[in-house]
Amino acid sequence: QVQLVESGGGWVQPGGSLRLSCAASGSIFSIKAVGWYRQAPGKEREFVATITSDGSTNYVDSVKGRFTISRDNAKNTVYLQMNGLKPEDTAVYYCNVDVITLGTWRMNNYWGQGTQVTVSS
């Protein structure tokens, strides 16, 4: 009963920027944490960044200084600003949320549908 809609992916040249968004809707009481993950062809899905309800953030070493995760609590939306993109950033990016759902009042986890990011000249 919670839906995640991702947007913002596309093609960009090396050194360019993209901003991904993940909008949550449905039976949400509160969002506890949101993470971004990515999966490149032939590779395992890997953690990219996360933000918790208190605003704490974490990043995988390979994106530190280039990517920034942020949130708009009023819109139940989380963003991933990606600067200085490299070909190795090419992947399908997925958002993942830990949310307290209405009615059950328990923690549940949901995945977005994924959005393609391609970095190429």
Side-chain angles (χ1 to χ4, degrees):
Q1 64 271 39
V2 174
Q3 299 82 43
L4 305 179
V5 178
E6 299 181 32
S7 61
W11 174 86
V12 67
Q13 292 184 324
S17 298
L18 288 172
R19 189 179 74 161
L20 308 183
S21 65
C22 177
S25 62
S27 301
I28 299 169
F29 177 72
S30 65
I31 297 174
K32 296 303 179 184
V34 180
W36 287 96
Y37 296 75
R38 65 186 181 187
Q39 188 166 18
K43 296 185 178 181
E44 295 291 320
R45 188 171 300 186
E46 68 169 340
F47 166 81
V48 176
T50 189
I51 186 167
T52 57
S53 59
D54 66 354
S56 299
T57 59
N58 283 288
Y59 302 90
V60 66
D61 286 346
S62 61
V63 310
K64 288 181 179 177
R66 300 189 296 121
F67 290 11
T68 303
I69 188 170
S70 61
R71 68 187 184 188
D72 184 335
N73 291 339
K75 297 180 179 180
N76 281 338
T77 300
V78 172
Y79 305 94
L80 185 68
Q81 179 67 47
M82 305 185 295
N83 299 325
L85 284 162
K86 304 174 180 179
E88 49 264 46
D89 295 318
T90 296
V92 177
Y93 284 70
Y94 300 88
C95 66
N96 177 269
V97 301
D98 290 329
V99 58
I100 303 295
T101 55
L102 294 169
T104 66
W105 315 111
R106 297 180 68 92
M107 187 77 75
N108 290 275
N109 183 264
Y110 297 88
W111 287 94
Q113 82 281 4
T115 184
Q116 177 71 50
V117 171
T118 302
V119 185
S120 175
S121 60

